[in-house]
Amino acid sequence: MRVPLSWLREYVDLAADATPEDVLAALVTVGFEEEDVHRFDITGPVVVGQVVSLEPEPQSNGKTINWCQVDVGPEHGGVRGIVCGAHNFAVGDKVVVTLPGAVLPGPFPIAARKTYGHVSDGMIASARELGLGDEHNGIVVLSDLGIDAPVGTDAIALLGLDDVAVEINVTPDRGYAFSVRGVAREYAHATGAAFRDPAERDFAELQPGSGHTAVVDDQAPVRGKVGASEFVTRVVRDVDPSRPTPPWMIARLSLAGMRPLGVLIDITNYVMLELGQPLHGYDLDKLTGGITVRRATPGEKMTTLDGVERKLHVEDLLITDGSGPIGLAGVMGGGTTEMSDTTRNVLIEAATFDATTIARTARRHKLPSEASKRFERGVDPLIPFVAARRAADLMVELAGGTLTEEGGALFAEVFVAEIELPRGFVQGLIGVDYTDDEITGALTTIGAEVTAAENGWTVIPPTWRPDLTDKWTLAEEVARIHGLDRIPSVLPTPPSGRGLTAHQQGRRRVVNALAAAGFVETPAFPFTTEAQNDLHGSASGEHLPSIRLANPLDGQVPFLRRSLIPGLLQTAHRNISRGLTDLALFETGAVFVPEPGVEYGTAEVPPLGVRPSDEVLAALDASIPPQERHVAVLLTGNVSPRQPGRAAEAAGLVEALDAVRVIGAAAGIEIDVVQTQRAALHPGRAGALVAAGEDVGYVGELHPAVAEEADLPGRATVLELDLDRLLTLAGGRIVAASLSTFPAATQDVSLTLPAEVPAGEVRAALAEGAGALLESVRLVDDYRGEGVPEGSKSLTFALRFRADDRTLTAAEASAAKMAGVAVAAERFGAALRD
């Protein structure tokens, strides 16, 4: 909301030397956010001048200019010669002259310059050049504005161009501040300055008369609320729409961010900004019959003021006459009855419309307006009578109209529910020891009626504050009025037993461990195609049920993902296309795995504004597919780049298996790898990840065809784990093992065995046979060359033995090693390699 300070001063005592920054600082103390300060970008000298002579001079280009002698007063150099291309003025007219040194909006500096054979010593200004509107065909003639000021008078002050506006951000719950009236009241709250309410008028003079009472026929109220609860009309006859809008009104409207559109429309906009009540003016002579407020019928259309024909929805609230729709209630009027240059008689409308109805209509038609912005936040139901009379008075004063006894009033009793405010509640909620007088004083200040009760107070909020609905909002008002700086900054003490769950802690450990190991986390959108779900969501690539979104962000990827790999592939492709080719990426996130034959998303969506029952909530929960949290990794490019004396090392299965070990260590469980096959992975280079005897994921090199389809230029290795299941299998808290003070005994063993035997199974056999003394076993070499029979391979393992109570002898370590070799020999025919 932009508020010109000259306007604000009419309703609150503003210090004469108060700067815009002072005003903003005061408004910030009562909870508003400052946005900006707006000024007319104009500096003087800009003065009133009188045309002494005018000589038309035709030019070779077909244009005729006027060589003028203009008196700007002795203090500004007397008579000056000025070239002007406008023709809407005559000798003797008083005009606005911008003298050399002035700067007009743009910025457009003024200087004496030679043009059309003369030295133009200044410029006679138009309204647009001064920032007072869009009129540029003619210059400003002061007599047309009803102004007769002495020659040499400062025109900047005369036309209100020295005014300045402050802009504040108005939150949705404080719609009353979309008015000068509301902001003036808040400034008074902040500073204690005297406030003068422009809505305080004798109700007897606000009565609109009869003959034009509207009818409300709402057969389908939204949430049971009738679309229009008040509808006030007044008639002003014999207006002159050609009269100019006064400069002070144009200046205020311009600073408030509204474009001048003619005196009649300017008046309705002015009153809306002043009081917060949107108004609409109809050309009375274009109305057919009486006015009816109703909902739209199926298939009905209307053309709004912006010239767009709109197909209406049955929830849309319409203003209609005998000819049909003439306005979208509270949003925008229709073109058939708008005020124009031929209007002579005006019907002024001031109404109270249902906020939900107006908000839905404005969003449905993508038609936000100054009126809808106010109606959807709640307008003071007691202000329509005042606003209608205020607009009528201005049309009499500024447009030469005559206020008649014609009009009408449809209104309902305004009821504001009482709120019980217990004594001590505000102090307990805010944390400040307010006195009872401070609490009641703050509530009285904002306009509430406060009555003492047995255990506290009964409070009736003011009609312009629909946001005050309970004791919590009242407590916030007390804190706001007395200053938010009084609220202490105290960190709350968390109750015992709270904090992250075991699974949350586990997920954090895994994420932190991967990041520490050099992987980069890259969250992606959870949307993909059905084909990608089939390929990466199952081992065989078979079709699996997927959840399709009813209203997807991207129509090409309308399904919820069953795997994290498609998102990592997209991220890798995007980075490679930008020159980043060495990638180690990971993501943790939810995947959606609907069960076959189960219908999801079929529960009926409950209406807004009503808390669903437990049964409805249970049905909604049942309509959501299972969501597992996975972790996935993708590696492509090089682990280390090429450098002097060293070739580049490509990322592959070794690095992927290292990532598996990092995840297992962080989760607190050992993960084994068993050879497998998957449709999306390279044959023979895929492994199933097993923990505690359960399949929890997979690892492997991406199939070349899949990598090519994803536009990845080289090899890519991926892994994906069911993180939730992994943490469940890991159990509770991880306990660090005791550190032995005795040294380790290390030995290597090389075994020759058939090539098809998986190394992981051999490793497991060695560990089983070696027994409790074996601390670790690690594969260090897989040799298949000279010296090894064809169809066989040589696997070398590094073994580390340690005892908790003694230093092991070489004989004890060797015995344990040979026990492991015996198990491997029994199961796989392994033999010690010479």
Side-chain angles (χ1 to χ4, degrees):
M1 176 67 187
R2 297 182 183 183
V3 183
L5 296 192
S6 66
W7 207 348
L8 190 65
R9 283 190 172 93
E10 290 188 8
Y11 304 122
V12 67
D13 289 343
L14 206 63
D17 59 348
T19 66
E21 291 71 23
D22 294 335
V23 175
L24 284 172
L27 293 173
V28 166
T29 64
V30 286
F32 292 102
E33 296 179 9
E34 65 174 278
E35 291 288 334
D36 206 349
V37 176
H38 300 271
R39 295 179 171 89
F40 288 102
D41 296 326
I42 183 170
T43 57
V46 180
V47 301
V48 174
Q50 188 168 29
V51 180
V52 176
S53 68
L54 181 155
E55 298 178 16
E57 295 183 356
Q59 303 297 311
S60 59
N61 59 6
K63 183 178 180 180
T64 299
I65 61 98
N66 293 311
W67 172 237
C68 307
Q69 299 297 313
V70 184
D71 183 9
V72 293
E75 65 273 27
H76 298 294
V79 177
R80 293 181 181 237
I82 298 175
V83 173
C84 183
H87 303 281
N88 65 318
F89 64 104
V91 173
D93 283 342
K94 290 184 178 180
V95 294
V96 178
V97 180
T98 57
L99 299 176
V103 179
L104 299 183
F108 179 45
I110 303 299
R113 64 189 183 94
K114 188 173 183 179
T115 180
Y116 294 108
H118 301 282
V119 175
S120 185
D121 199 13
M123 185 180 76
I124 305 175
S126 68
R128 190 169 74 178
E129 289 163 341
L130 294 171
L132 284 174
D134 295 332
E135 179 59 44
H136 191 59
N137 294 327
I139 54 94
V140 174
V141 178
L142 294 180
S143 60
D144 292 343
L145 302 178
I147 297 175
D148 184 13
V151 171
T153 301
D154 181 5
I156 292 179
L158 181 68
L159 299 177
L161 300 177
D162 57 347
D163 202 357
V164 59
V166 295
E167 182 177 3
I168 56 173
N169 180 33
V170 178
T171 54
D173 61 330
R174 300 176 73 179
Y176 66 93
F178 274 120
S179 67
V180 178
R181 178 197 186 204
V183 176
R185 181 185 285 110
E186 289 300 325
Y187 183 82
H189 294 166
T191 63
F195 169 65
R196 297 172 291 280
D197 191 350
E200 285 188 0
R201 298 188 63 167
D202 185 359
F203 192 70
E205 67 177 6
L206 302 179
Q207 296 304 306
S210 60
H212 293 278
T213 301
V215 175
V216 176
D217 182 19
D218 189 355
Q219 301 296 323
V222 176
R223 298 185 187 172
K225 296 189 69 174
V226 175
S229 55
E230 289 186 307
F231 202 96
V232 179
T233 60
R234 299 205 75 124
V235 174
V236 180
R237 293 190 176 273
D238 301 323
V239 297
D240 180 3
S242 65
R243 286 198 180 186
T245 303
W248 58 266
M249 181 176 284
I250 292 178
R252 288 180 176 181
L253 289 174
S254 299
L255 281 174
M258 303 198 76
R259 185 166 53 95
L261 297 171
V263 65
L264 299 180
I265 298 176
D266 291 346
I267 287 171
T268 58
N269 286 337
Y270 186 85
V271 175
M272 176 184 67
L273 293 173
E274 183 175 71
L275 299 176
Q277 170 67 53
L279 300 169
H280 188 71
Y282 301 90
D283 188 325
L284 181 61
D285 299 323
K286 295 179 182 178
L287 290 174
T288 304
I291 289 179
T292 300
V293 184
R294 62 170 174 81
R295 302 282 173 176
T297 57
E300 195 167 14
K301 299 179 180 180
M302 74 164 292
T303 301
T304 45
L305 280 174
D306 55 1
V308 177
E309 184 181 70
R310 302 183 183 276
K311 184 178 180 181
L312 304 175
H313 188 275
V314 293
E315 272 192 4
D316 290 336
L317 192 68
L318 303 179
I319 311 297
T320 68
D321 66 358
S323 65
I326 58 174
L328 270 175
V331 179
M332 184 174 286
T336 58
T337 58
E338 65 176 320
M339 295 183 295
S340 66
D341 294 341
T342 62
T343 298
R344 292 295 174 265
N345 302 303
V346 177
L347 178 75
I348 300 169
E349 165 216 309
T352 300
F353 297 117
D354 172 48
T356 302
T357 294
I358 303 307
R360 290 185 180 181
T361 294
R363 285 157 179 74
R364 185 180 300 117
H365 294 284
K366 296 181 175 62
L367 195 60
S369 64
E370 290 294 329
S372 66
K373 181 166 64 177
R374 287 162 173 80
F375 278 125
E376 64 188 50
R377 287 164 172 79
V379 172
D380 184 357
L382 298 184
I383 207 69
F385 288 88
V386 179
R389 179 56 190 263
R390 171 69 165 150
D393 290 343
L394 286 174
M395 286 186 183
V396 171
E397 177 185 350
L398 304 179
T402 301
L403 180 60
T404 71
E405 293 298 323
E406 301 172 79
L410 173 71
F411 59 92
E413 181 180 356
V414 177
F415 174 76
V416 181
E418 295 180 345
I419 302 173
E420 299 296 329
L421 182 62
R423 183 172 279 104
F425 174 79
V426 176
Q427 295 91 329
L429 180 68
I430 305 300
V432 177
D433 291 330
Y434 298 112
T435 65
D436 289 354
D437 288 342
E438 284 180 317
I439 293 172
T440 57
L443 297 176
T444 302
T445 296
I446 65 171
E449 296 181 17
V450 183
T451 305
E454 182 177 355
N455 296 316
W457 302 274
T458 299
V459 182
I460 301 177
T463 55
W464 57 84
R465 295 298 303 274
D467 58 306
L468 301 181
T469 56
D470 48 43
K471 58 185 178 181
W472 290 275
T473 52
L474 294 180
E476 290 175 359
E477 286 299 293
V478 174
R480 186 175 68 88
I481 295 300
H482 286 298
L484 301 179
D485 55 327
R486 288 184 60 180
I487 302 175
S489 298
V490 179
L491 290 175
T493 303
S496 60
R498 302 290 179 88
L500 299 178
T501 65
H503 270 217
Q504 289 171 332
Q505 292 174 350
R507 289 198 292 265
R508 285 200 177 184
R509 287 197 305 272
V510 169
V511 169
N512 291 338
L514 285 172
F519 294 87
V520 178
E521 186 173 14
T522 57
F525 285 118
F527 313 122
T528 188
T529 64
E530 193 171 30
Q532 289 289 314
N533 271 342
D534 294 343
L535 178 62
H536 297 284
S538 66
S540 62
E542 63 182 294
H543 176 66
L544 296 173
S546 297
I547 297 296
R548 184 185 182 97
L549 297 172
N551 186 23
L553 292 176
D554 184 347
Q556 295 183 337
V557 284
F559 291 90
L560 291 175
R561 65 188 178 188
R562 293 184 64 102
S563 166
L564 300 181
I565 299 301
L568 287 175
L569 293 176
Q570 291 180 2
T571 303
H573 167 63
R574 189 177 302 113
N575 281 272
I576 290 172
S577 69
R578 287 157 175 77
L580 303 175
T581 57
D582 301 333
L583 302 174
L585 311 177
F586 81 96
E587 179 183 1
T588 60
V591 298
F592 305 84
V593 285
E595 299 176 5
V598 179
E599 291 289 332
Y600 295 99
T602 58
E604 183 178 351
V605 178
L608 298 176
V610 180
R611 187 188 186 282
S613 64
D614 293 341
E615 293 76 13
V616 172
L617 291 174
L620 289 172
D621 288 339
S623 71
I624 301 174
Q627 300 178 37
E628 301 172 354
R629 187 170 290 274
H630 284 198
V631 57
V633 170
L634 181 146
L635 296 127
T636 188
N638 296 322
V639 176
S640 61
R642 185 179 64 181
Q643 47 195 307
R646 181 176 180 180
E649 296 181 24
L653 280 172
V654 173
E655 287 70 30
L657 292 173
D658 283 342
V660 172
R661 284 188 282 272
V662 168
I663 294 171
I669 191 170
E670 186 172 347
I671 303 174
D672 294 321
V673 184
V674 178
Q675 195 163 21
T676 188
Q677 296 290 331
R678 287 187 72 90
L681 300 183
H682 196 299
R685 301 178 187 174
L689 300 177
V690 179
E694 286 193 25
D695 190 339
V696 293
Y698 62 89
V699 62
E701 183 180 312
L702 209 61
H703 194 289
V706 176
E708 182 179 359
E709 185 179 356
D711 292 327
L712 301 185
R715 292 182 175 182
T717 308
V718 297
L719 72 88
E720 185 166 12
L721 282 157
D722 184 341
L723 185 55
D724 283 341
R725 186 60 187 158
L726 188 69
L727 293 172
T728 298
L729 294 173
R733 185 175 303 170
I734 299 176
V735 179
S738 301
L739 295 178
S740 175
T741 58
F742 297 96
T746 58
Q747 294 195 15
D748 291 343
V749 62
S750 295
L751 301 175
T752 303
L753 68 168
E756 66 272 10
V757 177
E761 295 183 14
V762 179
R763 176 182 175 279
L766 287 173
E768 181 181 336
L773 293 179
L774 182 66
E775 186 175 78
S776 71
V777 53
R778 181 167 55 90
L779 177 68
V780 296
D781 187 39
D782 182 340
Y783 177 70
R784 310 185 190 204
E786 185 179 351
V788 176
E790 183 147 348
S792 299
K793 60 183 176 181
S794 172
L795 300 180
T796 301
F797 294 89
L799 297 90
R800 185 169 67 233
F801 300 94
R802 195 192 309 266
D804 293 335
D805 56 351
R806 67 188 187 282
T807 299
L808 290 177
T809 64
E812 288 177 304
S814 297
K817 177 183 73 174
M818 294 309 298
V821 170
V823 174
E826 180 183 351
R827 292 183 182 175
F828 312 114
L832 284 171
R833 183 183 171 195
D834 296 335

